[in-house]
Amino acid sequence: MDTRSTGAKRVPLERDRCWTVVKYALLSRVACLILGIVSSAIVNDYDASAQLVLAPATTYLAQVLRALAHIVLRWDAFYFVHIAGSGYVYEQEHAFFPLLPILMRTLTQTVLRPLVAVGGEQAVLAVAGCIISNACFVAAAVTLYALGQYTLRNERLAYIASLLFVFAPSNMFMSAVYTESLFAWLVFSAMLCIARRQHVVASLLLCASSLCRSNGVMYAGYLVWDVVVRREAWIGKRWTQMVVRAVAAAGLVAVSVLGFVGFQIYGYRTHCLQPLYPNHPSRAYCDGLPATVYGFVQAEYWDVGFLRYYTWSQIPNFLLAAPMIVLSIAGIYTYAAHDSVRLATLGWKRRPSLQTASLDTAFLGNGLLPHIYLWVLLLAVATTTMHVQVITRMFSAVPAVFWFAAHLASKDRFTQCIVTGYFVGYGLVGVVLFSNFFPPA
């Protein structure tokens, strides 16, 4: 076989498919927003808070801005818009990290500044958040495609996974004023940089991700894995070289979590050293570690904590989360059952009965090992500590979810219909519910 001609054919194929991913990502966002506007016009909102926040529309352009802002200004989006416009005024707002509000405010005060006089600041801030989320969504889909090629060593599976991401069950959250799309793009980009051994750039991207969402700190483990844990990192190295690599890994992790740490310091200074409300009772996080502003706020205002969600009244939310939980358990089990020795030994040993080649490609490949560990960790946290219904949008930044879904969809027509039916169906229903301010959030 002429490998040069094969390579020459492969480049145009990948370029064409990359543009196909971009096209479908853009079309899915347009369709999502149109469906949201139509459903909001037909169905009465469960909550009319957005109507109270947005300024009355007196011109056609103002009506367009208001219609778009109206469907993306739901649930957590109110906090992001308020923070972008007024900063952190209330203690509970420290549950929402500042990167998205900073970008929203920057876009509103620069490119979108002329629209403020037309539609009002609140509407333009919401539209800015919508633009950022949708642009990051398209970038995340393309980045996932590139990451899949590096990790899976299977272009077709990477392509299918990126298309499934385009129709993710968290559909509307990826277009609204939420951090899901921005976070997914940041962590996918960081993973791609790590796969290319661009560790410094990856640490900076992870730093930004930890300023976007709290779970960004968990992704710093990828740096530790790539620099000092994986078996290949030790080949041909003396112990002194590994000590240097361990120190370097520690430095990279420190940079990666800097966003999260900096935000906690800001909260401490705001509410402990220079309190906005001097007569407010002292908080646990003012006494120092291990308490943090974020952890306190989540427990105090949202009742987040170990097994706190395990009540009879939350059964409907567990049912909403059940498909993603089942998909995750199935994916982790499939990977673990293929080679439990590899999983238990951090990839240092393998089952003797397996051929090496079978471990190097597609969903069962060695490259997925750190992704599986992250998947296990996030699944444990989501099902025991968080509001469990959030798992669907939280896992939009877990590549292994889409790789396993692609693995299933590649098997037979029936399985393909089940997987795509869940992704598309759950996502479409979510658009209608979200646009009319119905749960889940």
Side-chain angles (χ1 to χ4, degrees), residues 86 288 339 380 405 434:
S86 305
D339 190 351
F434 184 93

Side-chain angles (χ1 to χ4, degrees), residues 317-328:
N317 285 323
F318 275 91
L319 292 176
L320 286 170
M324 184 58 72
I325 294 174
V326 171
L327 181 69
S328 297

Side-chain angles (χ1 to χ4, degrees), residues 273-352:
L273 301 184
Q274 301 170 344
L276 294 173
Y277 308 102
N279 297 326
H280 202 284
S282 178
R283 297 304 203 184
Y285 56 80
C286 290
D287 298 329
L289 297 174
T292 63
V293 182
Y294 175 77
F296 175 85
V297 166
Q298 286 284 4
E300 181 74 11
Y301 294 95
W302 279 271
D303 198 31
V304 171
F306 186 67
L307 300 184
R308 287 190 183 184
Y309 222 54
Y310 280 72
T311 62
W312 292 110
S313 62
Q314 299 300 338
I315 288 178
N317 285 323
F318 275 91
L319 292 176
L320 286 170
M324 184 58 72
I325 294 174
V326 171
L327 181 69
S328 297
I329 292 173
I332 293 167
Y333 174 79
T334 300
Y335 190 88
H338 184 72
D339 190 351
S340 57
V341 174
R342 175 180 57 179
L343 191 70
T345 61
L346 301 178
W348 281 68
K349 293 184 179 180
R350 302 172 181 175
R351 270 175 51 190

Side-chain angles (χ1 to χ4, degrees), residues 407-421:
H407 171 75
L408 291 177
S410 302
K411 285 191 171 183
D412 55 66
R413 178 70 63 178
F414 177 76
T415 308
Q416 185 183 62
C417 290
I418 294 294
V419 172
T420 55

Side-chain angles (χ1 to χ4, degrees), residues 139-312:
V142 174
T143 307
L144 180 63
Y145 174 57
L147 176 64
Q149 292 182 74
Y150 267 92
T151 307
L152 302 171
R153 301 184 187 181
N154 186 310
E155 190 277 333
R156 180 174 176 271
L157 208 63
Y159 176 64
I160 295 172
S162 63
L163 292 181
L164 286 171
F165 175 81
V166 166
F167 300 102
S170 54
N171 198 334
M172 190 62 192
F173 291 98
M174 311 301 283
S175 284
V177 189
Y178 270 66
T179 56
E180 271 64 24
S181 289
L182 174 59
F183 183 74
W185 172 61
L186 288 170
V187 296
F188 291 169
S189 298
M191 293 175 192
L192 182 59
C193 286
I194 292 171
R196 293 170 173 170
R197 307 292 181 260
Q198 299 168 339
H199 297 128
V200 174
V201 178
S203 69
L204 294 174
L205 288 166
L206 290 175
C207 177
S209 77
S210 72
L211 194 63
C212 180
R213 293 183 63 91
S214 62
N215 52 314
V217 298
M218 297 182 182
Y219 288 73
Y222 280 98
L223 288 166
V224 178
W225 173 270
D226 199 66
V227 176
V228 296
V229 175
R230 63 187 181 91
R231 185 173 180 270
E232 291 78 6
W234 288 76
I235 297 175
K237 303 290 193 308
R238 297 191 299 271
W239 70 270
T240 52
Q241 291 175 300
M242 292 311 301
V243 169
V244 172
R245 290 176 71 89
V247 173
L252 292 169
V253 169
V255 172
S256 299
V257 302
L258 196 59
F260 177 87
V261 173
F263 184 51
Q264 301 314 300
I265 292 173
Y266 168 77
Y268 175 82
R269 290 177 60 85
T270 300
H271 297 288
C272 301
L273 301 184
Q274 301 170 344
L276 294 173
Y277 308 102
N279 297 326
H280 202 284
S282 178
R283 297 304 203 184
Y285 56 80
C286 290
D287 298 329
L289 297 174
T292 63
V293 182
Y294 175 77
F296 175 85
V297 166
Q298 286 284 4
E300 181 74 11
Y301 294 95
W302 279 271
D303 198 31
V304 171
F306 186 67
L307 300 184
R308 287 190 183 184
Y309 222 54
Y310 280 72
T311 62
W312 292 110

Side-chain angles (χ1 to χ4, degrees), residues 34 58 94 103 130 159 204 234 238 314 328 350 364 378 388 391 408 433:
I34 291 175
T58 56
H94 286 267
L103 296 176
C130 178
Y159 176 64
L204 294 174
W234 288 76
R238 297 191 299 271
Q314 299 300 338
S328 297
R350 302 172 181 175
L364 302 175
L378 292 178
V388 72
I391 190 173
L408 291 177
L433 293 176

Side-chain angles (χ1 to χ4, degrees), residues 365-398:
N366 292 326
L368 268 82
L369 200 51
H371 296 278
I372 299 298
Y373 292 135
L374 176 71
W375 200 0
V376 171
L377 175 61
L378 292 178
L379 180 62
V381 172
T383 54
T384 61
T385 307
M386 295 171 45
H387 291 185
V388 72
Q389 72 273 18
V390 175
I391 190 173
T392 303
R393 57 187 176 92
M394 178 187 180
F395 278 22
S396 61
V398 180

